[in-house]
Amino acid sequence: MIDRNYNQETENNSEREYFYGFDVDVMHPFIFETFMPHFRNGNILEIGSFEGDFTTHLLKRFESVDCIEASSKATTILENKHGKAVNIFAGTVEELKLEKRYDNIILAHVLEHVDDQVHVLAKIKNEWLAHKGRLFVVVPNANAPSRQIAVRMRLVSHNSAVTHGEEKHGHRITYSFDTLFRDVTASGLIPILSDGIFFKALANFQWDRLLKTDIVSPEYLRGCYELGKVYPDLCSSIFVLCEHQCEPN
């Protein structure tokens, strides 16, 4: 296994923040709204919980959340933020052994960080996902207009490039729908639904500046979310819902 410093990867670098205000204040609520109709009753595992910001939304639907987090710094913050409402497994998907299966597993903005995406998806399916359990996979979109504009500005070499700033944060791949479906199906998971989340023509740092003004209203943000359902390939993030349809051994 490649030796990685997950504390360092989650720190802001000179080229890119790890989490922007846009991620937490805009994307997290819309991702949760996208997930809500598809949750199964039962338990839930969130992989890559970081400091527990998205976990806050999951706790609106579930009494407790099991969390996996590789960064020891983030784990401390996560535990302080949510206390006994979370059960934390410190480590990576690759190294952890869990004693139970889950009806819902969240893999939001994590798959692009792992070294072997198909292996991780297959392990989740074969070891942790219950029969008829659902895996919620969300990744940044290579074809978001903001990224395509950056390509034409000569800031990024091509849509699916991993930039230097992203690489410092541990990114290994930049997905589009075709490559995401490729890896999901290669793992043996069954995709049952796909969607785009939030039509996005501005970069995250531009959104952060804009959100500090009164130029953008909640109604405008809602409009971007609804337009994303019309043009999923032009969204900030893309979503595939997978199901484990075979009885586990």
Side-chain angles (χ1 to χ4, degrees):
M1 184 181 295
I2 299 172
D3 187 30
R4 295 174 59 171
N5 185 332
Y6 292 101
N7 287 332
Q8 187 176 67
E9 288 182 12
T10 56
E11 292 177 355
N12 293 338
N13 61 60
S14 59
E15 299 173 58
R16 194 177 190 278
E17 294 185 23
Y18 188 72
F19 262 136
Y20 291 86
F22 170 75
D23 293 320
V24 176
D25 298 332
V26 177
M27 288 302 296
H28 282 188
F30 283 133
I31 291 172
F32 179 68
E33 182 175 334
T34 303
F35 287 178
M36 268 295 288
H38 308 293
F39 284 130
R40 289 209 178 279
N41 291 330
N43 58 4
I44 186 166
L45 172 68
E46 182 188 19
I47 299 174
S49 301
F50 190 47
E51 296 176 356
D53 293 308
F54 191 68
T55 317
T56 301
H57 294 280
L58 296 176
L59 287 169
K60 298 172 186 175
R61 170 63 174 76
F62 298 89
E63 289 187 6
S64 65
V65 178
D66 284 4
C67 301
I68 290 176
E69 176 52 48
S71 164
S72 59
K73 289 182 179 179
T75 297
T76 300
I77 295 170
L78 170 64
E79 187 172 23
N80 289 337
K81 184 177 294 183
H82 294 301
K84 294 181 179 180
V86 297
N87 178 35
I88 303 171
F89 300 100
T92 66
V93 172
E94 294 90 339
E95 66 190 9
L96 286 171
K97 303 290 184 182
L98 305 184
E99 299 299 323
K100 59 182 175 180
R101 291 182 178 265
Y102 293 87
D103 304 294
N104 305 276
I105 298 180
I106 308 299
L107 195 68
H109 289 190
V110 172
L111 191 61
E112 68 274 12
H113 291 265
V114 304
D115 295 310
D116 187 334
Q117 294 80 25
V118 175
H119 170 75
V120 164
L121 290 167
K123 178 171 180 176
I124 291 169
K125 168 186 155 310
N126 294 329
E127 298 184 18
W128 299 345
L129 200 59
H131 177 52
K132 295 295 184 180
R134 289 182 170 178
L135 174 64
F136 297 71
V137 182
V138 176
V139 292
N141 181 19
N143 293 323
S146 56
R147 195 170 186 92
Q148 295 195 52
I149 291 168
V151 170
R152 283 151 182 81
M153 292 173 67
R154 308 296 190 267
L155 299 175
V156 179
S157 62
H158 56 287
N159 290 5
S160 60
V162 176
T163 68
H164 189 242
E166 291 167 341
E167 186 178 12
K168 285 184 175 181
H169 285 317
H171 285 218
R172 298 296 191 253
I173 187 171
T174 304
Y175 275 108
S176 51
F177 271 118
D178 61 338
T179 51
L180 183 56
F181 273 103
R182 175 201 65 196
D183 286 355
V184 164
T185 55
S187 74
L189 286 159
I190 307 296
I192 61 172
L193 180 147
S194 64
D195 204 352
I197 305 173
F198 198 88
F199 182 92
K200 176 173 174 275
L202 296 176
N204 287 7
F205 78 91
Q206 293 171 316
W207 270 108
D208 273 11
R209 293 178 186 177
L210 194 59
L211 291 168
K212 294 176 182 177
T213 73
D214 60 358
I215 296 172
V216 174
S217 66
E219 291 77 15
Y220 182 85
L221 297 175
R222 170 62 56 180
C224 290
Y225 175 65
E226 296 297 338
L227 187 62
K229 296 185 177 302
V230 181
Y231 302 107
D233 195 47
L234 297 178
C235 283
S236 175
S237 296
I238 50 178
F239 164 49
V240 173
L241 180 63
C242 309
E243 194 167 84
H244 191 342
Q245 297 186 351
C246 298
E247 288 282 5
N249 295 329

